[in-house]
């Protein structure tokens, strides 16, 4: 990352560094142009959330870890933005949880699929599903190329971790009977609303926490993991995330101008 570009004192230096990394990933043909717009949408919600992991975010991370550990055939879905931001974390999560990695793109091109596969392999992945002809199965109810998935991966998965995903595809997976876990900073998106578990957090912050939760819960009895899932309520978690955003805006508005700007 070219850190010379970002002044260390900049109040949002971290966010700008990530923005630069994702922009460079467009040049490397890992991220689609539409991925930049999706990233901007995420940034806007993160700004409102306060750029911190919240308690509803943490509850969703714990429930996701329980689902992944209990799954018979868990799949981690990787699109361009996910690969650009967290390739290493995805490889680590797949190793510690015996999950498979699948390249799963909204805007499919063979070139991008291979670029993402290479990025994951560089990060230590042994096998990557969903590349080229391997993505020969279809998500029902979805039209066009957006429905292609790997018969050895998402198609036969019981649990799919599919962050930063499109709403139609999430709905298609849920209707196929899969348990869908997602990360989405927008609690109002159709993906956030359709998924079984929605982690309303930046994927950059959520992944290390999800990895530690999987490590911690791997030693816990299956019955306890089932109880975590049974007690989890995604609608409530989404409401809590929205209330945090609303209250934060409210308190900032009440304080008045909060940046030290002399107009
Ligand atoms: P939907 O199709 O679910 O109704 P959408 O069309 O607005 O939503 P998509 O582009 O389909 O959005 O999906 C990308 C989602 O990922 C957006 O909701 C965006 O807020 C979210 N997002 C983008 N970057 C991040 C990030 N770094 N961490 C978490 N979420 C993110
Ligand atoms: Mg969408």
């Amino acid at each position: 990352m070219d850190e010379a570009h970002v002044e260390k004192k900049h109040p949002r230096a971290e966010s700008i560094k990530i923005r630069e990394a994702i922009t460079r990933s467009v040049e490397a043909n890992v991220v689609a142009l539409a991925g930049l717009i999706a990233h901007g949408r995420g940034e806007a919600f993160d700004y409102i959330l306060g750029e911190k992991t919240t308690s509803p975010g943490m509850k969703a991370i714990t429930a996701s870890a329980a689902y992944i550990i209990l799954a018979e055939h868990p799949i981690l879905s990787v699109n361009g933005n996910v690969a650009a931001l967290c390739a290493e974390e995805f490889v680590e999560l797949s190793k510690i949880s015996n999950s498979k990695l699948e390249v799963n793109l909204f805007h499919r091109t063979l070139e991008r699929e291979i670029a993402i596969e290479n990025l994951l392999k560089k990060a230590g992945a042994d096998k990557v599903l969903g590349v080229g002809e391997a993505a020969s199965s279809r998500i029902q109810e979805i039209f066009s190329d957006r429905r292609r998935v790997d018969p050895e991966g998402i198609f036969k998965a019981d649990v799919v971790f599919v962050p930063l995903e499109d709403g139609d595809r999430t709905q298609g997976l849920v209707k196929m009977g899969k348990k869908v876990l997602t990360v989405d900073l927008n609690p109002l998106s159709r993906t956030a609303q359709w998924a079984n578990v929605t982690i309303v957090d930046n994927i950059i912050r959520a992944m290390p926490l999800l990895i530690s939760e999987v490590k911690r819960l791997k030693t816990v009895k299956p019955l306890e993991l089932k109880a975590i899932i049974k007690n989890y309520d995604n609608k409530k978690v989404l409401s809590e995330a929205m209330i945090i955003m609303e209250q934060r805006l409210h308190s900032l508005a009440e304080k008045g101008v909060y940046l030290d700007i002399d107009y």
Side-chain angles (χ1 to χ4, degrees):
M1 219 179 268
D2 181 7
E3 306 213 356
H5 249 68
V6 189
E7 267 189 65
K8 286 217 170 59
K9 279 191 314 209
H10 192 289
R12 307 194 58 257
E14 200 49 43
S15 167
I16 290 175
K17 272 197 277 175
I18 297 166
R19 195 181 294 174
E20 292 206 347
I22 205 135
T23 309
R24 268 195 300 280
S25 301
V26 173
E27 288 150 22
N29 200 21
V30 166
V31 171
L33 270 181
L36 287 185
I37 298 174
H39 184 76
R41 237 172 2 262
E43 271 189 0
F45 281 97
D46 208 10
Y47 218 132
I48 297 172
L49 190 67
E51 296 173 317
K52 283 197 303 256
T53 301
T54 60
S55 121
M58 203 55 228
K59 281 187 215 169
I61 287 171
T62 302
S64 297
Y67 267 113
I68 291 171
I69 296 166
L70 286 176
E72 270 178 35
H73 192 67
I75 295 291
L76 311 181
S77 162
V78 181
N79 66 18
N81 288 44
V82 168
L85 298 176
C86 318
E88 266 119 44
E89 288 79 3
F90 266 68
V91 172
E92 185 178 358
L93 180 60
S94 97
K95 291 197 168 152
I96 61 168
S97 64
N98 279 324
S99 319
K100 291 181 181 156
L101 295 160
E102 174 163 346
V103 176
N104 178 29
L105 305 182
F106 186 85
H107 300 282
R108 264 192 189 275
T109 67
L110 184 58
E111 228 187 327
R112 183 169 301 116
E113 288 164 29
I114 293 170
I116 294 171
E117 178 185 28
N118 288 341
L119 201 63
L120 289 168
K121 290 206 161 153
K122 223 171 104 192
D126 303 322
K127 193 166 183 234
V128 178
L129 300 172
V131 179
E133 292 305 310
S136 58
S137 289
R138 308 276 179 262
I139 306 176
Q140 292 139 27
E141 300 176 53
I142 301 226
F143 304 101
S144 81
D145 237 24
R146 289 161 42 197
R147 64 182 174 173
R148 285 175 49 202
V149 288
D150 195 314
E152 290 309 307
I154 290 175
F155 191 73
K156 74 168 192 197
D158 52 348
V159 172
V160 188
F161 178 58
V162 57
L164 282 50
E165 179 57 299
D166 163 64
D168 292 330
R169 290 168 20 114
T170 303
Q171 191 174 341
L173 293 174
V174 171
K175 288 193 171 168
M176 282 170 86
K178 307 197 183 295
K179 294 296 175 198
V180 176
L181 323 172
T182 196
V183 182
D184 195 326
L185 276 159
N186 177 6
L188 296 168
S189 80
R190 287 164 313 141
T191 289
Q193 306 261 329
W194 266 98
N196 299 95
V197 180
T198 307
I199 301 169
V200 181
D201 199 5
N202 197 315
I203 192 164
I204 296 221
R205 292 189 300 270
M207 282 310 292
L209 295 169
L210 180 57
I211 289 169
S212 346
E213 275 302 77
V214 168
K215 286 182 181 160
R216 181 178 74 84
L217 292 179
K218 256 171 39 165
T219 60
V220 162
K221 290 196 187 82
L223 217 60
E224 275 181 55
L225 299 178
K226 284 183 189 153
I228 292 174
I229 290 173
K230 192 162 173 279
N231 293 327
Y232 180 80
D233 180 346
N234 205 45
K235 286 203 170 77
K236 188 160 167 259
V237 158
L238 286 171
S239 297
E240 286 170 5
M242 284 189 255
I243 288 168
I244 287 172
M245 291 183 182
E246 184 262 330
Q247 286 181 344
R248 184 159 183 276
L249 278 181
H250 196 105
S251 87
L252 288 172
E254 276 194 333
K255 270 191 237 161
V257 179
Y258 67 101
L259 287 177
D260 192 17
I261 294 172
D262 203 3
Y263 289 104

